[in-house]
Amino acid sequence: GAGVSQSPRYKVAKRGQDVALRCDPISGHVSLFWYQQALGQGPEFLTYFQNEAQLDKSGLPSDRFFAERPEGSVSTLKIQRTQQEDSAVYLCASSLLGGSGGYNEQFFGPGTRLTVL
Amino acid sequence: AQSVTQLGSHVSVSEGALVLLRCNYSSSVPPYLFWYVQYPNQGLQLLLKYTSAATLVKGINGFEAEFKKSETSFHLTKPSAHMSDAAEYFCAVTLSGGYQKVTFGTGTKLQVIP
């Protein structure tokens, strides 16, 4: 595909349900990022993958959040036992390189809007 | 560590007037700086970026921004606002080394009055 795609675009979950959000990065991109954008706020970093390795998960808000990228391409962000405060737009971004220096542009997907009732 | 501060969560301008959205950054190493625009229920679109080349950068839709190291600022301007500029604008920063996770500001919602 031409860009980063995410699915589903919208997800409604009842409190306590588990959800899985998918990100398809641009083919060949080494780096993959997840961000969370709460209503009226700027996106905030959640986690970073370089190929299949999760190198930074410092932004994950709790142990209910789990991300994986097992084959170094598609990534899934899983949220267990969803809470109302998890309601947000979840953005995925990919970039061509890893931490090799020089500017490395991130390309953002359209996001998944999660609403927890 | 890096951060950005956007001054003014809401800015209103008249159509045809100057647009000025303010952003100050903090960074321990030379930063890369960005402005993104987000229309309602849409994703982020990169307006322009500073990556240590020219300090005055031009972006899409007539926007430009100037990197001022002495003032730690990266304000976004457009000489003449158009109705289609109404959107939310995010200033963002990343460090020039490492894997470059992006830190965003809290956003400025621009209203254009006819």
Side-chain angles (χ1 to χ4, degrees), chain B residues 73-90:
Chain B
S73 69
F74 191 60
H75 302 328
L76 181 71
T77 60
K78 181 175 180 178
S80 177
H82 193 274
M83 294 299 295
S84 61
D85 295 328
E88 187 149 27
Y89 293 79
F90 293 95

Side-chain angles (χ1 to χ4, degrees), chain A residues 3-17:
Chain A
V4 179
S5 60
Q6 294 185 245
S7 60
R9 290 293 314 278
Y10 302 90
K11 177 70 178 177
V12 178
K14 292 184 179 179
R15 189 162 54 96
Q17 282 185 330

Side-chain angles (χ1 to χ4, degrees), chain B residues 90-114:
Chain B
F90 293 95
C91 182
V93 63
T94 187
L95 299 181
S96 54
Y99 54 83
Q100 298 177 15
K101 74 179 183 184
V102 181
T103 300
F104 291 86
T106 52
T108 298
K109 194 162 288 187
L110 177 66
Q111 179 185 22
V112 181
I113 303 167

Side-chain angles (χ1 to χ4, degrees), chain A residues 9 33 35 37 40-43 45 48 56 58 91 99 102-106 108 110 113, chain B residues 32 34 36 38 41-44 46 49 51 88 90 96 98-102 104-106:
Chain A
R9 290 293 314 278
F33 301 79
Y35 296 86
Q37 185 177 17
Q41 300 295 317
F45 171 81
Y48 166 70
D56 186 344
S58 62
L91 296 167
Y103 175 57
N104 190 22
E105 182 167 350
Q106 287 185 32
F108 283 83
R113 182 178 297 275
Chain B
Y32 295 148
F34 313 90
Y36 287 87
Q38 188 174 43
N41 298 316
Q42 294 189 27
L44 290 169
L46 181 65
K49 60 183 182 284
T51 57
E88 187 149 27
F90 293 95
S96 54
Y99 54 83
Q100 298 177 15
K101 74 179 183 184
V102 181
F104 291 86
T106 52

Side-chain angles (χ1 to χ4, degrees), chain A residues 3-65:
Chain A
V4 179
S5 60
Q6 294 185 245
S7 60
R9 290 293 314 278
Y10 302 90
K11 177 70 178 177
V12 178
K14 292 184 179 179
R15 189 162 54 96
Q17 282 185 330
D18 297 349
V19 299
L21 313 180
R22 177 186 170 108
C23 171
D24 284 81
I26 295 172
S27 178
H29 276 198
V30 168
S31 292
L32 187 145
F33 301 79
W34 283 98
Y35 296 86
Q36 179 192 57
Q37 185 177 17
L39 188 64
Q41 300 295 317
E44 293 191 354
F45 171 81
L46 292 178
T47 188
Y48 166 70
F49 289 87
Q50 187 173 112
N51 296 308
E52 70 279 3
Q54 189 176 21
L55 299 187
D56 186 344
K57 53 183 180 179
S58 62
L60 295 176
S62 77
D63 59 7
R64 297 185 295 103
F65 286 71

